[in-house]
Structure formats: C-alpha cells, structure tokens
Amino acid sequence: MSIPKLSVSNPVLANLLMIAIVLAGLYAWVVLPRELTPEISLHTATITTLYPGASPEEVEQLITVPIEEAIEGISKVDLIVSASSEGRSVITVQFEDISDREFDKQFQNLRSEVNRVNDLPEEILEEPQVMELDVSTGFPMLTAVVGGEISEGLMRDIAEDLKDEILEIPNIASVRIAGMRDREIWVEVNPDQLKAYKLPIDQVINALKAHNLNLPAGTMEVGRTEYLVRTMGEFRSPTEIEETIVRVGQMGTPLRLRDVATVSDTYEKPRTLSHINGAPSISLTVQKKTEGNTIKLVKQIRDLVEARQRNVPMGVKISAVNDYSVILRERLGILQTNALFGLVLVVLLLYLFIGERNALFAALGIPVAFMATFLFLHLTGYTLSGVALFGLILVVGVVVDDAIIVVENVFRHLQEGKSPREAAVIGAEEVGLPVLAASLTTIAAFGPLMFMSGIPGQFMRIVPLVAILVLIASLLEVFMILPSHIAEWGKAQSKGQRRHAWFDYVRRRYMRILKRTIRWRYPVVIGVLVFAGLTAYDTQQIKNEYIEHSRHGDSEWLGKSAIMGALRLYLDFINMFMFLL
C-alpha cells in the first residue's frame, strides 16, 4: 500500500499526526531560546596573569615566556598569540577545527600544563587564569545599577543582596560588579611617634599579626560530648585594633596602637568606576548560560529589580540599563514580520492561480513544516536565532512547491470526473517520484553548506539545516497528510469548469510571445547575448565610476549612482522585452 493510499484510508491518523506536530511545534516555539546569532564554539582559550608594578619586559620574561614554553607541547594547537603589557600577561591559544569533545580534552591538558609552571614570581596577585573564550556568554544581557543619595556601605550591601538574588535565577552564568570597593582597615603610623617611643615599625606589624589570629587549641571531652576548642583572636572592629598592645614599658605601662597610629575604617582604592546620571553607583552586569532564553531572563531580572525597588530605603534608586533584549526583540521582530509577510504573499499567489480551496490545501503544509522544524530544533538543543529565521524565510516559498504539484495534478483528475478519494490517491502517486526528486535536488544544493569549517561554518550551518528540515517535513505533509485532506474536503469538478478567466488572457499573450520567439529564434538568441553584453558593460562602468567617486568622497554622487545604475539596467531589460514583442 502506497503512502497516499494509506493517508486516504486513515484520515483520523493523518489529522492526529498533523495536530500532534502543530501542538508540539507550538510548544517548542514558545520555549526555544531566542538569540540574535547561533551558538559558536571558538575553540579558543586565554591565559591571564596579573603582575602589578612590573614593566612589559619583565612580564614577558618572567611570566609570558615560561608559560609559552610550558604549553608548546599541547597538541591540536593552531596559533598562540601573547600580549605583555604593564602588570598584565594575556596569552591566547587558538585550537584547530576539532570537535567539542576533543577541545574539552585539550583544554584540560592546557590547564594542567599551566598549573605545573612553578617558577613564576611570588608577587603575582593570583595563579594564571585559564578560561575558555565563549561567545554565547560574552554579551551582557542587562546591567542593574544601584545608586542614589546614600552611603557607600548601604549601596554595597544592597548591591551584594541583589547579586545573590540574580544568581538564584536559573540559567544565569555570572554577575560582574563594577564600582564597588572592598572594605579595608588602614593603620597609618605616625613616624614622629615611632621616633619618640624608639619603636621600630616591624614591631607594630608583628603585634598586629600576633593579635589577629584564630588558633585551634585541641579538643575537650565533657562526659560523652567532645568539644572543639579554638582561641578567637581576630579583630572584630577598628576599636579593638586601636587597643592592641604594641609594647609594655619597664614600669608595666602598655603602649597601645592608638598612641602611635591612626586606625581608619575605609575602602580600597577604586579599580572600576560606575556612574549613573553623574552620581556614583554600583553596576551589576548579568551574563547568561548558553541554554538561557535572553528575553525571558531579562524580564525576570526586571521584575526582580522592580520588586527590590519597592523594598529599599528612601533615596535608593535601582534601575536596569543596557538592555540587550531590546535589540534582540527588534531584529527578531523584523525577521518574524518578513516571514509572516512572505507567508501571506505565498497564500495570496496560490489563491490567484489555483483557487481558494486548493490554496488552502497547499498552504496547510507551511505551518506543519515549520512546526516540525521548531520541534526538531528544540529536541536537539538549538536556539531560535536570527540566522535560523533567515533560513525559514529562504524556503517559505519553496516549501509549497511540492504541495502545488500534487494539488494541481489531483485537481486535473477531479476535472476528469474522478471522485476526490480516487483523485487524491492517483494524483499523488503519479507525481510522487518527480516531487521526491525535486526536493532531493534542493536538499543536495543546501547539504554541502553544512560541512563548512571554521567559525563561518558554525555561523551558517543552521541555515541549510533549517532548510533541509523544512523540505523533509514538507514531503511528509505532502504524501501523508495532504491526500487525506483532499479526499475529505475536496470538491468534485467538471471538465468544462473554468477557474480563472483572467489567466486565459495571460496565457494567450504568452503563447503569442512564445510563437514569435520560436519563429525568430536566432535573432532572439542574438538579442539575449547583446542584452547580456550591455548589462555586463553597464555593470563594469557603474563599478568604475563608483570607485572613482568614492575615492574623492562624493557622497551625493554615490547616492544618485545607485538609482541611475538600476535605471540603466531596467531600460536594457525593457528594450529586450520590446524586442520580443
């Protein structure tokens, strides 16, 4: 039994299949993460080391060169680029075009080799940081800003609480803070007092170290209970620091820290500055994980910011700025609008040429094919990016080609007097192989694009993938669902019934032009060649003029040249058309 005959014999199965695809596709459409660009694996790692106060030459000799020598044995490395600047070493390692699994393996090897480097200066702030360069988390989604006429301490507390609440949202990768300084206790020793008491500064330092300790003191058993004993000696306030005994005199008089130094509760020197409306603030820049939906996450963060704003003291202002989802929604909206207009135009043209009933049968394949594609993207972990939507727009007209061929052939059998059920089976079976061949040739044209290498290949791979998925889903709809719909809802036709009287006039004009073209075939071929030559000549002339004027910065001519060039090509086409008439 053929697939069209199975479809006609089981209309309930065909309709349930269509409903299941549409419902599952709608769910996938709702939950699919929206992104402007698809996920790209750069297969690149960076090694960052901070060495404050060192010159670029010292950074290169003491940090960059030892690390480069340690990692030169890593396999699958394509390029290593290092930059040594004042107090900072950055080494970028670009791997070859390998699989994600192989990259993860080599990345771990890279991290292990860097950790084995043990001859780095002790003055570096921390161990070298080995990080993967990830584009998907490189673009901040949103920045939450805490400001207002409040103290820096209160601003800091609110910002830290807000950061913790943002990190509790699922699929949030990190929150980077700018404008917030860590608390510091400054002990400023008075040199004159040190001289007066004949006190070396090392003794002050040692006294502070000795009194600012929490030391374990063993355990103590009381009955069946064992207690851990510790001496709690860390400072809890600046006042305790001031009361620290630095030295005891011969008469037993203690010399306290406040006698020779001033203790200040302050903050470190700012490394980053954040201002909003000219006033100091603290900025929290939010980045998401790869699987996160930017639009939904931004909405959750905005709701959180609004909720926090209602519960903060007077004078505190929490706002959300640098909203990346605005650009994302705008550009995705443009693509979605273009896709919708394309769908409407396709349905309109189908109605004009094959009638409203047949247009409905053919147009039903568009949502079914699109929903099946969304379902596949959801199941395989892809995102609905602007590039994926471009692929959908690219095939929105091609997806109905198979349905048009089947519907037109079925309609021919209906006009010959066959019943809708018989016409649906015979008409679909007759054009089955041509329809399959046409779709396979289109799939074969898109297929090689899936095997492009490098970053361009990763960026464009979703376009052929989406196009191929839509075409395969279209074939499923044409042979499994469409015959059932025609058999159930089709209308019998008579041989003499005419669909479009206006098309008869177009056909007569076309036949007249075609007969003249065949009769004067040699002049027509020569005319086509002349038209092609004129077009190539005009194109080259426009190109030369454009280059010449662009060198001189003639912006007014550049604006007019596009119009004049298009007009010249249009006139060449009109001349060719008039020649055929």
Side-chain angles (χ1 to χ4, degrees):
M1 179 182 291
S2 63
I3 296 179
K5 186 176 295 185
L6 176 65
S7 172
V8 173
S9 303
N10 300 273
V12 176
L13 174 63
N15 290 327
L16 286 178
L17 178 63
M18 182 188 71
I19 293 173
I21 292 175
V22 171
L23 291 179
L26 287 174
Y27 170 76
W29 164 262
V30 173
V31 301
L32 270 175
R34 265 69 166 176
E35 294 292 343
L36 196 57
T37 58
E39 180 185 352
I40 297 176
S41 299
L42 298 180
H43 295 165
T44 302
T46 59
I47 307 170
T48 305
T49 311
L50 300 180
Y51 187 10
S55 65
E57 292 78 10
E58 293 175 330
V59 171
E60 181 180 19
Q61 294 176 3
L62 300 177
I63 296 179
T64 304
V65 173
I67 294 178
E68 285 182 340
E69 292 176 351
I71 65 176
E72 63 182 5
I74 302 295
S75 60
K76 306 295 183 179
V77 173
D78 183 38
L79 182 66
I80 297 178
V81 179
S82 62
S84 301
S85 57
E86 184 176 353
R88 183 184 182 92
S89 169
V90 179
I91 302 175
T92 303
V93 182
Q94 173 68 53
F95 289 86
E96 297 175 358
D97 189 13
I98 54 180
S99 64
D100 292 341
R101 179 177 297 180
E102 180 67 19
F103 170 73
D104 293 338
K105 177 182 177 181
Q106 298 302 330
F107 180 76
Q108 293 301 325
N109 293 338
L110 176 67
R111 177 171 287 173
S112 300
E113 293 297 330
V114 172
N115 292 335
R116 290 194 183 102
V117 180
N118 52 14
D119 56 347
L120 297 179
E122 297 181 357
E123 293 81 4
I124 60 176
L125 289 182
E126 54 187 359
E127 295 298 320
Q129 299 294 313
V130 183
M131 300 181 64
E132 178 185 354
L133 190 60
D134 191 357
V135 175
S136 61
T137 59
F139 298 100
M141 295 188 305
L142 186 74
T143 300
V145 182
V146 180
E149 299 178 357
I150 55 176
S151 64
E152 186 173 357
L154 178 59
M155 188 184 301
R156 173 191 171 91
D157 294 339
I158 295 175
E160 289 181 339
D161 292 341
L162 182 60
K163 175 185 176 181
D164 295 338
E165 293 180 1
I166 292 176
L167 288 175
E168 291 178 358
I169 299 176
N171 295 325
I172 294 296
S174 64
V175 178
R176 294 184 299 177
I177 298 182
M180 186 170 71
R181 300 186 294 172
D182 291 333
R183 184 187 180 191
E184 287 187 349
I185 304 297
W186 289 7
V187 179
E188 299 174 281
V189 180
N190 189 331
D192 296 332
Q193 295 292 333
L194 290 181
K195 290 181 181 179
Y197 288 103
K198 296 181 181 181
L199 183 68
I201 193 171
D202 291 340
Q203 189 169 351
V204 177
I205 296 174
N206 293 332
L208 289 173
K209 289 181 178 179
H211 287 80
N212 191 35
L213 289 176
N214 285 343
L215 296 177
T219 59
M220 181 179 64
E221 295 184 1
V222 179
R224 296 183 178 180
T225 306
E226 184 179 79
Y227 294 94
L228 179 65
V229 180
R230 300 182 64 197
T231 58
M232 307 299 292
E234 285 189 347
F235 299 124
R236 292 187 294 270
S237 67
T239 304
E240 292 185 5
I241 300 176
E242 291 178 340
E243 297 298 324
T244 301
I245 298 176
V246 179
R247 187 179 67 185
V248 179
Q250 295 179 355
M251 304 299 295
T253 305
L255 177 64
R256 301 185 184 276
L257 184 63
R258 67 169 183 266
D259 298 327
V260 295
T262 303
V263 179
S264 303
D265 188 355
T266 181
Y267 295 92
E268 67 177 353
K269 294 181 179 180
R271 295 184 179 182
T272 58
L273 298 176
S274 174
H275 288 78
I276 183 169
N277 297 328
S281 63
I282 297 178
S283 301
L284 293 84
T285 302
V286 185
Q287 293 178 317
K288 72 175 188 66
K289 295 180 181 178
T290 303
E291 61 272 17
N293 189 323
T294 300
I295 297 178
K296 288 186 176 180
L297 290 176
V298 167
K299 184 179 183 304
Q300 288 179 297
I301 296 173
R302 283 189 172 276
D303 294 340
L304 175 61
V305 168
E306 293 177 359
R308 289 287 297 170
Q309 180 63 51
R310 292 191 292 266
N311 299 323
V312 295
M314 293 292 295
V316 179
K317 176 64 176 177
I318 306 178
S319 56
V321 298
N322 298 334
D323 190 347
Y324 175 70
S325 68
V326 174
I327 301 176
L328 178 62
R329 283 195 299 264
E330 178 183 353
R331 297 187 180 179
L332 290 181
I334 292 174
L335 290 172
Q336 292 173 8
T337 302
N338 292 341
L340 180 61
F341 272 111
L343 176 62
V344 171
L345 290 175
V346 167
V347 175
L348 179 62
L349 290 175
L350 290 175
Y351 167 73
L352 291 176
F353 285 95
I354 64 177
E356 65 278 0
R357 189 181 294 269
N358 293 329
L360 178 62
F361 291 149
L364 277 177
I366 298 177
V368 173
F370 279 15
M371 293 301 110
T373 303
F374 294 149
L375 178 60
F376 178 84
L377 294 178
H378 172 64
L379 295 177
T380 53
Y382 283 94
T383 61
L384 187 62
S385 62
V387 183
L389 285 176
F390 171 75
L392 292 176
I393 297 174
L394 194 64
V395 296
V396 69
V398 181
V399 71
V400 295
D401 289 351
D402 300 340
I404 292 174
I405 296 173
V406 173
V407 167
E408 183 64 26
N409 196 49
V410 171
F411 186 79
R412 179 175 64 85
H413 284 284
L414 288 174
Q415 286 186 319
E416 292 176 355
K418 295 184 177 65
S419 65
R421 294 177 62 88
E422 185 181 4
V425 174
I426 297 176
E429 290 178 345
E430 285 182 346
V431 296
L433 289 179
V435 167
L436 180 62
S439 297
L440 291 179
T441 55
T442 307
I443 291 174
F446 280 104
L449 294 177
M450 297 180 60
F451 303 100
M452 291 177 60
S453 60
I455 296 177
Q458 295 184 54
F459 186 81
M460 293 299 298
R461 189 169 297 143
I462 190 65
V463 174
L465 178 63
V466 167
I468 291 173
L469 289 175
V470 170
L471 292 173
I472 294 176
S474 174
L475 285 175
L476 173 66
E477 192 275 339
V478 162
F479 292 119
M480 189 62 200
I481 299 175
L482 180 61
S484 173
H485 290 165
I486 297 177
E488 292 294 319
W489 303 325
K491 185 178 180 182
Q493 302 286 328
S494 61
K495 274 190 176 183
Q497 186 173 353
R498 299 170 61 187
R499 286 182 291 173
H500 300 290
W502 64 271
F503 190 72
D504 292 338
Y505 171 77
V506 176
R507 183 172 57 183
R508 287 195 301 268
R509 296 290 297 177
Y510 167 72
M511 292 299 297
R512 188 168 65 178
I513 295 175
L514 183 61
K515 289 178 181 179
R516 289 185 180 181
T517 303
I518 295 175
R519 186 182 304 124
W520 301 93
R521 51 188 175 275
Y522 297 112
V524 168
V525 173
I526 295 174
V528 171
L529 294 177
V530 171
F531 169 71
L534 290 175
T535 302
Y537 174 77
D538 286 343
T539 303
Q540 186 62 37
Q541 287 296 110
I542 294 171
K543 179 181 179 181
N544 294 337
E545 294 176 6
Y546 181 86
I547 294 175
E548 183 66 25
H549 284 271
S550 62
R551 289 176 179 173
H552 297 85
D554 191 352
S555 58
E556 183 178 356
W557 183 91
L558 294 177
K560 295 179 180 178
S561 64
I563 301 175
M564 296 303 297
L567 182 60
R568 287 159 66 177
L569 295 177
Y570 175 72
L571 291 177
D572 290 341
F573 175 75
I574 292 297
N575 291 332
M576 180 64 188
F577 183 74
M578 294 301 295
F579 172 78
L580 293 177
L581 293 178

